[in-house]
Amino acid sequence: NNSGTIAATTYGISVFNSTVSAGITNSGSISASSSIVLFNSTVIGGVRNSGSISGASSGINVVGTSLITGGISNTGTIVGGSGAGIYVGVGSTVVGASSGINNRGYISSIDNAGLITGSGAAVLITAGGLIASGITNSGTINGGSTGLNLQRATISGGLANSGTIFGNSYGFVAFRSTLGGGLSNTGLISGVNLGIYAIESTISGGL
C-alpha cells in the first residue's frame, strides 16, 4: 500500500514470477519508465489507484501469463508516455467481480491484447472519467452485461477494435458520453441485444 513516493529509472514496482495477495494500492505517486509491471505473475485483490501512476513508457504493464483478480480501478491518474496507460498483453487476464477495468479518473490510453472480463461491464468508464488517447483492442473484452460501457464519460482518440468486444446484453454502450476520434472495427463487436448502443451521446469521427 503506497501513500508516499516510489520513483525509479526502470520499474517502480516489478512483480516477476510471483503472487501478490491483498492487491496493489496506490494513493501516492509511482513513476518510472514502466511504473507497474507484472510478468508471469498473479495479483489477488486487484490494482487500485487514487494517486498518480506515471511511466515514460507505460503506466501499468500486464504481460506474460499474468492474472489480476479484482480488476483495475482508477480514480486518480494513470499515464503512459510512449506506450499505454494500461497495457494487457497476449496471454494475460484482468478479471473483476463487476468490471475488469473501472475508471472514474484519467487514463492516457488502454491497449488490450489479452482478456479483460467482468460480470457487469468488462470495461467501465464513468462519472466523468477520461481516456485521453483512446482504447485499442486486439484481444477480448467480455462482459456479463456489456463489453465496454461509457457512462457520462469521455474517450478521446477513438476506439479501435480488431479483436472481440462482447456483452451478454450490449457490446458497446455510450450513455450521455463523448467518443472523439470515432470507432474503427475490423473485429467483432457483439451483444445479445445490441452490438453498439449510443444514447444522448456525441460520436465524432464516424462509426
Side-chain angles (χ1 to χ4, degrees), residues 35-200:
S35 290
I36 297 176
V37 176
L38 309 180
F39 180 78
N40 290 348
S41 294
T42 298
V43 173
I44 301 166
V47 177
R48 298 172 293 274
N49 177 58
S50 59
S52 173
I53 297 173
S54 178
S57 176
S58 60
I60 299 174
N61 209 356
V62 186
V63 293
T65 54
S66 292
L67 169 66
I68 297 176
T69 65
I72 298 172
S73 62
N74 176 57
T75 57
T77 300
I78 302 175
V79 174
S82 59
I86 298 174
Y87 175 72
V88 182
V90 174
S92 289
T93 299
V94 177
V95 55
S98 180
S99 297
I101 295 176
N102 185 326
N103 178 51
R104 297 168 182 259
Y106 177 100
I107 299 175
S108 60
S109 63
I110 296 172
D111 186 350
N112 175 55
L115 171 63
I116 302 173
T117 185
S119 62
V123 177
L124 175 63
I125 317 298
T126 187
L130 171 64
I131 310 296
S133 297
I135 295 176
T136 301
N137 178 58
S138 58
T140 299
I141 296 174
N142 191 332
S145 63
T146 307
L148 172 57
N149 197 344
L150 190 60
Q151 294 278 328
R152 294 183 174 90
T154 300
I155 298 174
S156 299
L159 169 61
N161 178 57
S162 59
T164 298
I165 299 175
F166 175 80
N168 283 320
S169 295
Y170 309 105
F172 169 59
V173 171
F175 175 74
R176 293 182 179 173
S177 296
T178 299
L179 172 61
L183 189 157
S184 171
N185 178 52
T186 57
L188 174 66
I189 300 175
S190 176
V192 174
N193 294 330
L194 292 169
I196 297 171
Y197 188 24
I199 316 105
E200 298 176 25

